[in-house]
């Protein structure tokens, strides 16, 4: 049995996802002590306050120790797994020496880190150093900003590197005939997030744009909505030691549930909510849904009433653009959005999440159907990314799937309106002067009364109802 040396132990730390989160819960370990791991192999799944993600290990070796069991919430920067990278086999758990503290192991790791050249990433494989020499890029050189890479490298278990020498910030090179250097997965990520790669400052080797560079560009472009400070809640009263576990169950509040609770309390006590209701005959809309299902343009796509309700809301926003806005408390300004990122509230086993369809206003009906299908499938599988839940402008919540008539929805923080859709049921309805059974539903629109007056909110709700009653208005009004 090979004896492991302290210098051969690498500590993999909980990485920073770059979304302002400070902790994550370990949901599941995919490896155990003694298992062999390879660079880029997923070793565990963690849940942040926004999503569940998988973490890959950034080096080869044998798992020496798992520092935390499943279900533990760990702060960012804390070592969670020790790996022997010296090529030796793992010793039994009883014979293994104590895990080397990160501070002691770091100096011995410095030579490896300096030549590693792999960019740690949260999900998927890191960016390996190119083994070939690239032709120098034309135009003035762009200084490589390595500060963020150095911090992430240390968090992922690499040795700390010397801080970069401060230098004057240089403007990015102007776009020329050269195509920005980026690997296909990074180009796809930039396309999905609407990022122009020519505007991104690269930090990878040889001037390659990395995933972190794209996310940094998104973070710089999205305005941060500052919310007023909420008075701290009183200290939780510890449950009595004698409480009856057979009659009560206490569930720790963490992860998505904790984030949702904080967001709803902040929204409810920050934005003055007003909710209006309307009951509408959607018989024609239901007939159109059945016709679209048979249309070859929608082959393979999921067509349901939510698709037409979403399109109706988008048309109503186009007719009443001032409703698509947010309140900037710090600047004392109303920010009117000229795009619609349409949020869809989704109930998942981990709690309520609200991913959104980017630039939904620019999509055709088949494109909107495709985006809705992808959003629902990703949420159901628990793979919704944090980026997919950022930047929403308005939201739809379909409480009708639970058989209820309607509700008074709470605004998603930073948004001005949310539409609740009730169950669609056959009801007696006066149609052309006669009482007939018709398909009827109730809509509820909650809006932020600081920036949406009653008249504007009423017009939006009335337009949605009018389109669902006469879906041909999707054409005449659009």
């Amino acid at each position: 049995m090979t004896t492991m040396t302290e210098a051969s132990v690498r500590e993999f730390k909980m990485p920073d996802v770059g979304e302002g989160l400070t902790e994550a819960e370990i949901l599941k370990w995919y490896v155990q002590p003694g298992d062999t791991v390879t660079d880029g192999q997923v070793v565990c799944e963690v849940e942040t306050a926004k999503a569940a993600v998988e973490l890959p290990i950034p080096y080869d070796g044998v798992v020496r120790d798992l520092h935390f069991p499943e279900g533990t919430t760990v702060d960012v920067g804390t070592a969670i797994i020790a790996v022997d990278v010296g090529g030796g086999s793992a010793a039994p758990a009883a014979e293994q020496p104590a895990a080397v503290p990160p501070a002691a192991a770091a100096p011995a790791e410095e030579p490896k880190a300096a030549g590693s050249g792999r960019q740690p990433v949260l999900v998927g494989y890191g960016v390996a150093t190119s083994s070939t020499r690239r032709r120098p890029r034309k135009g003035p050189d762009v200084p490589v900003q390595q500060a963020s890479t150095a911090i992430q490298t240390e968090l992922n278990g690499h040795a700390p590197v010397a801080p970069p020498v401060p230098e004057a910030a240089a403007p990015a090179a102007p776009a020329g005939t050269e195509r920005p250097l980026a690997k296909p997965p990074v180009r796809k990520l930039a396309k999905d997030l609407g990022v122009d790669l020519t505007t991104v400052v690269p930090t990878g080797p040889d001037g390659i744009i990395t995933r972190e560079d794209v996310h940094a560009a998104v973070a710089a472009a999205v305005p941060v909505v500052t919310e007023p400070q909420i008075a701290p809640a009183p200290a939780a009263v510890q449950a009595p030691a004698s409480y009856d576990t057979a009659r009560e169950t206490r569930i720790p509040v963490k992860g998505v549930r904790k984030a949702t609770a904080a967001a709803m309390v902040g929204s409810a006590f920050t934005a003055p909510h007003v909710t209006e209701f309307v009951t509408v005959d959607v018989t024609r809309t239901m007939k159109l849904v059945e016709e679209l299902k048979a249309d070859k343009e929608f082959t393979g796509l999921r067509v349901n009433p939510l698709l037409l309700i979403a399109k109706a809301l988008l048309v109503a926003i186009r007719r009443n653009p001032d409703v698509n806005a947010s309140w900037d408390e710090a600047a004392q300004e109303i920010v009117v959005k000229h795009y619609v990122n349409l949020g869809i509230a989704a109930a998942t086993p981990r709690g309520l999440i609200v991913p959104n369809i980017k630039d939904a206003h620019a999509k055709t009906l088949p494109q909107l159907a495709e985006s809705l299908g992808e959003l629902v499938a990703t949420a159901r599988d628990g793979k919704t990314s944090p980026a997919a839940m950022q930047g929403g402008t308005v939201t739809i919540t379909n409480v009708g799937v639970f058989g209820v008539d309607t509700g008074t929805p709470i605004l998603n923080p930073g948004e001005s309106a949310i539409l609740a859709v009730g169950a669609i049921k056959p009801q007696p309805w006066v149609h052309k002067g006669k009482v007939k059974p018709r398909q009827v539903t109730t809509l509820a629109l909650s809006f932020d009364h600081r920036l949406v007056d009653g008249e504007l909110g009423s017009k939006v709700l009335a337009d949605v109802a009018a389109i669902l009653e006469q879906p041909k208005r999707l054409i005449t009004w659009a």
Side-chain angles (χ1 to χ4, degrees):
M1 182 177 296
T2 303
T3 302
M4 294 187 295
T5 64
E6 300 297 339
S8 68
V9 176
R10 305 290 292 275
E11 297 282 354
F12 179 70
K13 301 180 181 181
M14 181 69 74
D16 179 5
V17 300
E19 302 291 343
L21 303 177
T22 59
E23 63 183 17
E25 178 188 353
I26 299 175
L27 294 180
K28 183 177 182 180
W29 283 108
Y30 295 121
V31 295
Q32 296 297 326
D35 291 351
T36 300
V37 294
T38 58
D39 188 353
Q41 177 180 340
V42 173
V43 295
C44 67
E45 182 182 19
V46 302
E47 181 185 47
T48 68
K50 295 185 177 180
V53 294
E54 295 178 332
L55 298 183
I57 200 80
Y59 31 73
D60 301 332
V62 177
V63 177
R64 175 173 177 174
D65 185 33
L66 306 180
H67 296 328
F68 298 96
E70 295 176 355
T72 305
T73 300
V74 182
D75 291 336
V76 168
T78 303
I80 59 175
I81 180 174
V83 177
D84 173 33
V85 298
S89 59
E95 301 175 9
Q96 293 180 8
V100 179
E109 299 165 9
E110 186 169 354
K112 173 98 175 168
S116 173
R118 178 170 286 273
Q119 303 269 355
V121 294
L122 183 64
V123 182
Y125 294 91
V127 182
T129 301
S130 173
S131 60
T132 60
R133 298 287 296 177
R134 292 186 179 272
R135 177 170 52 85
R137 301 181 69 183
K138 297 179 181 179
D141 293 336
V142 179
V144 178
Q145 301 177 355
Q146 298 177 339
S148 61
T149 303
I151 294 173
Q152 186 65 44
T153 301
E154 184 175 358
L155 288 181
N156 277 359
H158 295 286
V161 297
V165 178
E167 57 184 41
T177 57
E178 285 284 333
R179 189 184 186 197
L181 299 179
K183 294 192 175 183
V186 178
R187 293 186 182 278
K188 183 178 185 303
L189 174 65
K191 180 180 178 182
D192 293 342
L193 298 180
V195 175
D196 183 358
L197 288 177
T198 61
T199 64
V200 178
V201 178
T203 63
D206 298 332
I208 295 177
I209 297 174
T210 67
R211 289 175 176 268
E212 289 77 12
D213 298 335
V214 175
H215 285 301
V218 172
V222 176
V224 178
V225 179
T226 303
E227 296 186 359
Q229 294 293 329
I230 301 174
V237 179
Q238 188 173 5
S242 60
Y243 91 94
D244 189 351
T245 57
R247 294 170 61 85
E248 296 180 358
T249 299
R250 292 179 177 267
I251 303 173
V253 179
K254 54 187 177 180
V256 174
R257 174 61 60 190
K258 183 177 181 180
T260 300
M264 293 298 97
V265 170
S267 176
F269 292 98
T270 300
H273 285 55
V274 173
T275 305
E276 295 185 340
F277 307 88
V278 64
T279 303
V280 59
D281 176 4
V282 295
T283 304
R284 291 186 178 91
T285 291
M286 298 303 292
K287 290 180 179 178
L288 179 58
V289 168
E290 295 304 318
E291 292 174 2
L292 293 177
K293 288 181 179 179
D295 194 312
K296 64 179 182 180
E297 294 293 332
F298 292 86
T299 301
L301 299 177
R302 184 176 180 180
V303 179
N304 54 23
L306 180 60
L307 171 62
L308 296 183
I309 293 169
K311 192 64 176 178
L313 179 57
L314 293 171
V315 172
I317 292 173
R318 182 174 180 178
R319 286 166 54 84
N320 305 275
D322 288 345
V323 75
N324 187 43
S326 63
W327 182 272
D328 189 336
E329 182 67 27
Q332 286 295 290
E333 294 176 338
I334 294 174
V335 184
V336 179
K337 313 294 178 62
H338 303 299
Y339 60 91
V340 181
N341 290 346
L342 182 62
I344 304 295
T348 71
R350 296 188 178 99
L352 175 69
I353 63 174
V354 188
N356 60 76
I357 300 172
K358 309 298 184 186
D359 293 326
H361 67 285
K363 296 184 180 292
T364 63
L365 198 59
Q367 290 172 341
L368 189 61
E370 181 179 6
S371 297
L372 276 171
E374 293 174 352
L375 180 148
V376 171
T378 303
R380 184 186 300 117
D381 295 338
K383 301 300 182 183
T384 302
S385 67
M389 292 183 281
Q390 290 185 327
T393 61
V394 295
T395 293
I396 296 176
T397 176
N398 185 10
V399 297
V401 296
F402 306 111
V404 301
D405 292 333
T406 191
T408 54
I410 296 178
L411 294 169
N412 204 29
E415 299 180 10
S416 60
I418 178 171
L419 178 70
V421 182
I424 300 175
K425 303 176 181 179
Q427 295 184 20
W429 194 265
V430 178
H431 178 67
K432 296 182 178 180
K434 296 181 180 180
V435 177
K436 298 181 179 180
R438 305 286 288 181
Q439 296 291 324
V440 177
T441 189
T442 299
L443 307 175
L445 182 73
S446 291
F447 50 87
D448 185 343
H449 214 351
R450 292 176 299 178
L451 63 157
V452 179
D453 295 331
E455 178 185 11
L456 176 58
S458 299
K459 285 182 177 180
V460 172
L461 184 59
D463 279 356
V464 174
I467 292 171
L468 296 180
E469 186 175 14
Q470 293 283 355
K472 66 181 180 181
R473 291 191 173 104
L474 286 173
I475 300 174
T476 57
W477 285 0

